[in-house]
Amino acid sequence: MLKSIKQLVKNRFTGGAFISLCVIAFIAIFSPLLTPYSPIDTKPEDRLLAPGHLHYFGTDELGRDIFSRILAGTRISVGIALFAILLAAFVGTFIGSFSGFIGRWIDQVIMRSTDVLLAFPTLVLALALSAALGPSIVNAALAIAIVKLPIYMRLARTQALSISQTLYVKSARTFGVKSGWIVRRHIVPNLLTPIVIQISLDIGDAILLIATLGFLGLGAQPPTPEWGAMISTGWNYLIDQWWYPTFTGAAIFITVMAFNIIGDGIRDLLDPKAGE
Amino acid sequence: MNQDLLVVSGLNKTFSFKNKGVKHENHAVKDVSFAIKPGEVFGLVGESGSGKSTIANLLMNLESVDSGEITFNGVTIADSKAQNSFPYGDIQVVFQDPRSSLDPRMTIRQIIEEPLRFLSGAKKTELGNSSDVVRLIQAVGLREEHLDRRPHQFSGGQRQRVAIARALITRPKLVVLDEPTSALDISVQAQVINLLKSLQSEFGLTYLFISHNMGVVKYLCDRVGVLNQGELVELASNEDIFNRPTHPYTKKLLSSVPSMFKEMESQ
Amino acid sequence: MSELVLDIKDLSLSFLTSGTPVSILKSVELQIAAGEIVGLVGESGSGKSVTALAISKLLPTQITTFSSGSIYFNGMDILTSSEESVAQLRGKKIGFVFQEPMTALNPTMTIGKQLFHVIRRHSDLSKEQAQAKVRAALEEVLIAKPEIVENQYPFQLSGGMRQRVVIAMAMSANPALLIADEPTTALDVTVQAEILNLIGKLAKVHGTAVLLISHDLGVIANTCSKVTVLYAGEVVETGKVSDVLRTPLHPYTQALVKSLPDIAARGSSLETIAGEFPDLRKRPEGCIYAPRCPKKFDKCSESPVLMKVDNEHSVACWAQGSRSSS
Amino acid sequence: MTQASRTRISALSAFAVITALVMGMVVSAPANAATSKTTLIVGMSADLDFLDPAATMDNAQWKITYPCYQRLVEYNGANTDVVPGLASSWTISADNLTYTFTLKPGNKFSDGTAVTAKAVQYTFQRLLKIAKGPADNFTAVASVKVSGTNTVVFTLKQVSPQFLYTLAGNYGGIVNPTVAAEEVAGDSGQAYLANHTAGSGAYVLTDWKKGQYLKLEQNKYFSGTKPVLKTVLFKIVGDASSQRLQLGKGEIDIAEGITSDQFDAVAKEAGNTVMNKPSLTVDILYMNSTKGNAALKDKVVRQAISYALDYKGLIATTQAGNATQMRGPIPNGMWGQDPKAFQYTTNVTKAKALLAQAGVSNLSLDLLYSARQPWWAAEAQLIQDNLAKAGITVNLKLTEYATARQMIDAGTFDLCLGVWSPDYADPSMFMNFWFDSNNFGLAGNRSFYSNPEVDKLIRYAAKITDQKKRTAAYIKAQTIVIDEAAYGYLYQKNYRLALRSSVKGYVFNPMLEQIYNVATMSKA
Amino acid sequence: MLRLIRARLAMLVIVLFGVSIITFLMAHVLPGDPTTALAGPHPSQETLNSIRAQFGLDKPLPAQYLSYLSDLFHGDLGTSIRSQQPVTHEMLAFFPATLELVLVAFIVAIAFGIPLGVLAAVKKNSFSDYIIRFFAVGGVSVPLFWGGLVMILIFYAKLGWLPSSGRLDIELNSPESVTGFYTIDTLIAGDKEAFINVLKHLVMPALALGYVQLAFIVRQVRSSMLDALSQDYYLTGRANGLGKRFLVVRYALRNALIPSITIIGLSFGSLLGGAVVTETVFDWPGMGKYVTDSILGRDFPAIMGFTVVIALAYVIINLLVDLLVYSLDPQTRK
């Protein structure tokens, strides 16, 4: 573990991203202690102030400190993205590995349903799902999890298929080991690496999806400081109060970029074929 | 010693598969019959596509039999009609590639113990405690502290030893060795062959030894069957096969083996 | 003795593996004359393939460091030559045959096209002439129906057929040196015999120098006139096949020959080598084989050099060296 | 290297180079000049749905239909009174139940056919048959009869003081009976009129590129004064900032999507004007007193909420100050308003005291709103913050418009934001819709407020025509509903519109918000 | 080949059926009634009921679905509740715009993505590799809606080079619709001015959308190329002295394209998803904006129509991918 981190940091590219990620994680965990102002309480008399020493990133249309809101939003975006992706990975891995191992008609049914899910454009499906479930941050996470599900199902299935051809699974079958045990003890642990790679590559995308949903008015409910929703409102202030959407957008960009670079780094680390 | 441990009679297996809608058939095993006596090392040789691995799979209940019958210890364990209860633990297998036959995520202890988990009844109480594991790991020439390591920390030869220990944990009567040394270097191969020999006498094992390496078969086996394209073309004692082959295929096979001395003598 | 096609002198190199340099070859010596077939034998990790790739400068440049030595090909030092001039040799003067015929051919190009491109690359033939040469090259490797095979893709051919195609490509420009890296390991014995015959015949016909790499002593014995034994990147013994395999002098070669079940009597136990393969990140001082050697003595803490025992037989062992020099 | 691979590589690089060149060429081409003087371009935030005057109930769509159709009577410039339109005169029977209109001869539809009494009859029979939103305005109509080419008689079931005014609304537009030929599957030509116009107004809809623009051009058979503007384009520019930029560059002449906080900056830019007129649009808070949180049944709790609201802050934040706090339900400028009516002030202490008096603590309420109005998000968050100061927890429920409407109809909310603008200049638009206990839900009484005494007063006021008596009754009712805080009376907003200074002749009529008098406008 | 098409047709049936059921259920569990939005500010209950009946929304769900299916079978996608126009007409109005945008974005992405991916792989760990990778990771990290806005601010507001919205300047007449692609239609009409104008409108949205796709392609191609470059046959080619460029193109790229095309084809869904945002930002009159509005407005027939058309497109894209792979990979041709 420590060695892997060392390896990540050694590369200047991933090293920078790793430090950013640590900062982001720190902010996400300790944001309530770090915000100079309440991210929620309104103050109409202080509305739309330009950035300055009191408000580093200025204030929004309700007089709230944008810096504080961006900090507080970190936890929401990163947390929900993690939750959604882990949920998708967990369920997808489970279904996919059984599908790949058992095969036959069950596999057919499951794979055709991923076909159906993949036929929807991701964002539109997420949009429709979060509209159907009602706009809330949890439902947005669920929608993203469902959208991402087929990727994990397919990945787990492909891996399960190839793992079930390995000699150790073949050996296990020669001592009469039950299917459940094979999936649990042999297949799932051994497909974790590609799943972890996929997770690390997907988190950035999930953050973007959440922000996009928020931008389109689904997802977090006000006054929650969700980045996409903040840009959606801030966009109207682009010309006269440029700081409002600009800093928020930069926050998303930097966070997603850090996750993506680390994702690439993890892939290179765990999947030597792609790296070396 | 007069009753056969394993009897294979009239075994047939055909694989059919669809490739782009066209049905293909591959008659992998054609009417193969042989018997193995207790304590014997029985060799099956053949080239790729000869059906030797399919026979191993059929014996290990990994594939179903099309026709014919396999009898183990007088009990039918596989035929075309129905699924018979397979005597898990009594027949064990060691596969060719030790890199892939051990789950990389498990410790050596977990790997060796795994076959015990699904044995039932008498067999289970009869064996299967950690002292067995320790005894076996030592028997295959490894040390107790190796038990908590994982496969990637071992060389190919050591891994094959672990695979052998795992096969022996259930106290099998018959061990199927499917090309157990093909992936190993010469010097390591020698170690594993020596080990197999000493284990056989120590545990009174019966081996079905499957290989394409004529040298190893000649060295190890009491009787040898030669497979060619799913058919058993010759079955004889070691002596007869290597000194007085009768079937033209056996002859061709033997003459193809680059022997160190045949050529050098002619030089 | 005819002129040396290949002359490797004191070749040492290391790879950078996750930051640490690993010494792969140390002071390797190897000579091949025209028309000669020399075997290079050793177990996995001994550096056989690395030696082969080094000759054509095909090792990944970022991680490879040559620390000493030279590789002369027809008098030209490969290591100090530019990439372009070495590239000129590849396929034209130095042919290569690899172990895995299943993956050695471009899966998305027909056999004929692949041969055609290689032929055109190394000659001034017109398209029609090159096309005719494709046929001829396939016929030369004893492919029965070249007109069919040339329109096929690699996956449609058996392993033996593919290896023939690979050989045809390697030989198409009539190279001075053919490097065959485990060319038959992946093949059945009956096919192996045919391929080895083919290589021998072609070498004889064209006067090609051949470096045959194998872990199989039988293959070496059957095909080569000389053999070099590698252990952990060092040459431990070299000489005529009949000398080296019949009267091996190095304890490693001796153990290797005796560990073969082919010659051992049934019932006797096979000879094995004690200990483990050395960790090349920390190449031990002195004789590389000493930690596993049953005949080790004080002198073995110094690195032995390759010492001539007789005209062509050399060995890197203090025990043998001292005997012959005394 | 072989020929084949060389060709491939050069093809690939040529492809890249050509793509780059095309982009370069395109970017460097000169930008187009300003728009023509006879073309007016209006920037709209969203595309329109459908334009049948018998079906549409949305001012946004009326901006197209209103200038394409004519009505029997018309609003008079900026005035909320009606004047003759297609009808040159009308008479009303003594019992106020029969209206007889005489049509001005010579008016023609856009296909050249004459506007006759038959067409009027066809229009209203069709509207009632289709039975969509517009029909709700004519429930009083018992029959429409033709008596001669140019005379049409409406008979009412009951006295309806607002009848004449509803005829001046968009749904009063007279439709060319030839659309009957376009009927598909018994839809009375709805599909056809959804994206065509068939009226006698100054303009005709000639092109509608979905998602891009709608184009009006002059009706060559129009009998009135020939308009100056030859073409009116309604261009869809979804984003407020883009509208702002396009207005600044003169690419659009009117920007409808400018948000509250942008107006000041827009007004400062050269070439722009911002019109700022009081309107009759009010912004209110529904407090569900029947189906909502039980505490809301108590008028004291509703009063507490009314005291807790920061009216000044709301006006400053959501309208940048361009609004006035309401004085009861009827807006300023509408007759019937009580100028002395009680007005709630912001008083958190009092709010807390009232809550204590009502014995309510830890009150938690859901506030429903949609994104329909751009300022609602800010307003909802301010109200949340205001009420929090008085100790009331507010959970914001941002819901899509269609869903919010359904919930309003069903009464499944505690608090909800709403706007209301009158369809005709009559206080019944406020009093009868908002407070009649028969109108629960979407029909108008969205606070689900019920008070028999109020019911009696307002029903009485709606059935008589004497304005004095009506005013007295309405003022009496107002006193009650203000005291009982039936709604949160927030503010009456100004209507602001950003235009290029070159746009001349625009007249704002509070009854016709978002509708342009394009026939009498011009560009300098 | 025929078999391939037949298999895809079977897939089409399954996908269409699945998609229609999911969409139908999703659309109808959506809380909210599209008719309340239509009925005007203060409709009476009778009016609401009458409108519901007109759209068949008063019938039980299975009956609604069955009647939808039977209409679909006859090629009728129903009538949009919001616009009261046949959904088929709406699709014809919006789909070509989206397709044109997506295709141009895709061409841009391919034209630059493949060479960049190849370059990064061939020059692995060099300076240019790092630059390309940075560029690529930026593309998958920038929020499209934000990036689009920044582009508008620079290229429209500040520099005035490019228009910020729509497909064509409003003063210019839209071309006669032949293909629905303005680029082609203006050329057919021979209107050079309009053609240039159409291209100008395309630049920003296509670049914004294309950048994301390009970044994806660069990453994909780079990784497949690295894989191909480490294959035995590539080494064989080198050992046989074949030219570097020939090896890169005919040995490595040709083989690397097979997995890349499959994965890029599968990413079609995310491209369309990106189109939703792009169309919103640049006021592009396409399907993305249309479906967002339909979802928010609960316009069931329009949502259904959209998903059916997209599912169709998905299957066609899959077929195209199959055909491409078929032409590249001889093994599939056996």
Side-chain angles (χ1 to χ4, degrees), chain A residues 124-135 139 143 218, chain D residues 400 403, chain E residues 22-23 25-32 295 298:
Chain A
V124 174
L125 182 58
L127 202 70
L129 279 170
S130 52
L133 297 166
N139 289 342
L218 298 157
Chain D
E400 274 127 51
T403 315
Chain E
I22 292 182
T23 319
L25 284 179
M26 211 152 58
H28 287 80
V29 300
L30 284 179
I295 290 173
R298 304 289 188 263

Side-chain angles (χ1 to χ4, degrees), chain B residues 46-48 155 158 184-191 193-194 197 212-213 215-216 218-222 238 249 252-253 256-261 263-265 267, chain C residues 43-44 188-194 215-219 221-222 224 241-242 245-246 256-257 259-273 276:
Chain B
E47 300 185 282
S48 47
S155 67
Q158 289 171 319
L184 305 175
D185 275 322
I186 309 170
S187 61
V188 181
Q189 167 176 291
Q191 294 170 356
I193 288 173
N194 284 344
K197 279 189 68 173
H212 70 272
N213 187 325
V216 179
K218 183 182 172 192
Y219 175 75
L220 210 55
C221 300
D222 302 317
N238 180 309
Y249 178 73
K252 186 186 173 199
L253 200 59
S256 300
V257 176
S259 158
M260 278 175 59
F261 297 101
E263 289 294 314
M264 278 194 295
E265 263 139 32
Q267 265 175 8
Chain C
E43 297 181 282
S44 42
D188 278 328
V189 265
T190 47
V191 183
Q192 163 170 294
E194 292 163 16
H215 67 279
D216 187 334
L217 295 176
V219 166
N222 267 6
C224 305
V241 164
S242 48
L245 295 189
R246 195 176 300 241
L256 215 52
V257 171
S259 67
L260 279 180
D262 309 45
I263 12 173
R266 291 198 68 204
S268 70
S269 115
L270 298 172
E271 184 151 331
T272 59
I273 301 173
E276 304 272 319

